[in-house]
Structures are given as C-alpha cells and as structure tokens.
Amino acid sequence: MTDSAPPAPLADGTLDEIRLGLAPAIAANAGFDGWGDEARDLAADSAGVDRDVARLAFPGGAVDMIDAWFAAIDAAMLAQLPPERLATMKIRAKITALVEARLTETAPNREALRRALAILALPQNALRGVKLGWRAADVMWRAAGDTATDYNHYTKRTILAGVYTATLAVFLDDESDGHADTSAFLARRIEGIMRFEKAKAKLVGQSTLRPSFSRFIGRLRYPAV
C-alpha cells in the first residue's frame, strides 16, 4: 500500500484554486495591513505564488479577496460539520452549530472581519455584501438539509442572513469568555427563527384547511352530483 501523493503546490493550481488557497492568509494579513495589495502579496510570497498571478486571481481587488475568504470559511465550516454529524441533530441545533462554526473560523481574524464588513458597507459594495450574506445563509440551510424551492426558500435565507449579520456585529465587540455573549445572542435569534417557522407552518395549514369562498359560490351555481 503506497502513501497518497502530496498535494500539488498552490503555485501550480488554477486561478480558482489560488484564490481560495490564498484567502485565509490574506485575511490574516488584512487585520494589520488592510484588504489591499500588501496583504495579497505577502500571502502570495508565503505560498510561493507569483505576485502577478495572485493579482490576476483577484481582479476586483479587496471585495474579491473578501469574497474568497468567505468562501474559504464556507468550506471550513462544512469540513467541521460533515453531513453524517449534522444528520444526528435537530434543525435548531444544526443552524446554531453552523453559525458557531463560521464564528470559530473567523475568530482568529476578527479585525480583518471588521475591516471586511466596513468595505462591504460602502455604497458601491452594498449589493455585493447582500449577495455574500445570502450565499452564507444558503450554504447553511442546504447543509442543514433544507430542500425548499417555494417562497420558504427565500424567507428562510433572508431571515438567517439577517440573524447572521446581527450576530457578527455582536461578535466583533464581544470580550466575554468563550464569546458567551455572542452565543446567548445567537440562541435568542435562532429561537426567533424557530417560532417564526412554526407560526408560518400553522398559518399555511389553516389556509389549506379553510373552505374556499369561490368554490362555495361555484357549488351554489353548479351543485355537485
């Protein structure tokens, strides 16, 4: 039995592979140097990637670097919580665990996260920021096993994106032990999501069972036989 071959050097990867591979190192540098050329170039140097190639991997500059970092966080979150582990949890526990896994991945680079969110809040980047928040929520719901394709697909992601964004705001300034304040805040917000989903399911059920007025009128005109 032979050992598996070592992974190819990042410098030999595609632009997509380079983008994703450099993103965590860029984030580590961005806390000190900001999301700019210096952070990118230092990450490229440490990975043995040509600086010009690294520049090509992030044609949109800071926003592309942030996008790639968030994608790397998605991947790390899913690695922490594989399907077989999530399958043993109830939906509330799944969503909580997924959000907390994301926070764990960002914790070493909170200053980079603070700077990233400030960049995404700029008017010219606001739409991209909304899309990234939606993507994060979509990845989490899919990992949790959600397969909704109707309006529930959109409401679930919109609400979770809002909860996640609010939780990040608390997380950035949380100095409590083990980020206990953030965990408590998240638990309250997840409880809100669950109450909303239960109320929505109840309303949908009632509307399904409620007699149709138009059908009633139709039967008056054309009695069933």
Side-chain angles (χ1 to χ4, degrees):
M1 180 176 180
T2 59
D3 294 333
S4 58
L10 187 58
D12 297 333
T14 65
L15 286 180
D16 284 343
E17 291 169 340
I18 289 172
R19 187 179 300 113
L20 196 64
L22 289 182
I26 294 174
N29 296 329
F32 301 96
D33 304 313
W35 290 91
D37 293 348
E38 186 172 0
R40 182 201 61 220
D41 289 345
L42 288 172
D45 291 346
S46 65
V49 174
D50 185 273
R51 289 187 174 190
D52 290 334
V53 174
R55 188 177 298 111
L56 288 174
F58 302 100
V63 177
D64 278 2
M65 297 179 209
I66 294 166
D67 185 329
W69 183 39
F70 288 178
I73 291 170
D74 286 340
M77 173 190 71
L78 295 176
Q80 276 192 50
L81 295 165
E84 59 271 20
R85 182 176 173 189
L86 288 170
T88 65
M89 303 178 185
K90 293 184 177 180
I91 186 63
R92 182 198 308 264
K94 288 179 183 181
I95 296 299
T96 300
L98 288 161
V99 175
E100 288 183 339
R102 296 183 71 86
L103 297 179
T104 298
E105 290 299 321
T106 58
N109 297 304
R110 278 205 295 177
E111 185 55 35
L113 177 61
R114 190 189 308 277
R115 294 183 182 218
L117 295 179
I119 290 171
L120 293 175
L122 295 173
Q124 64 269 29
N125 300 327
L127 180 58
R128 186 77 169 270
V130 170
K131 289 180 178 179
L132 292 178
W134 175 276
R135 185 178 74 188
D138 183 53
V139 170
M140 286 187 278
W141 270 118
R142 289 180 185 276
D146 180 63
T147 57
T149 56
D150 57 5
Y151 73 97
N152 285 300
H153 175 92
Y154 300 98
T155 57
K156 286 179 177 181
R157 282 147 183 80
T158 299
I159 294 171
L160 181 56
V163 167
Y164 180 55
T165 299
T167 303
L168 287 180
V170 175
F171 173 70
L172 286 174
D173 295 318
D174 186 0
E175 300 301 333
S176 61
D177 290 342
H179 302 120
D181 290 347
T182 300
S183 295
F185 178 87
L186 175 62
R188 292 193 297 272
R189 294 303 181 272
I190 295 295
E191 175 64 23
I193 292 179
M194 295 300 107
R195 285 201 303 267
F196 175 80
E197 288 298 319
K198 288 179 181 178
K200 185 174 64 176
K202 184 177 180 180
L203 286 172
V204 170
Q206 288 175 344
S207 64
T208 301
L209 295 173
R210 187 180 298 121
S212 168
F213 181 72
S214 60
R215 186 180 305 162
F216 173 71
I217 295 298
R219 286 182 177 177
L220 288 180
R221 294 176 61 190
Y222 307 105
V225 292

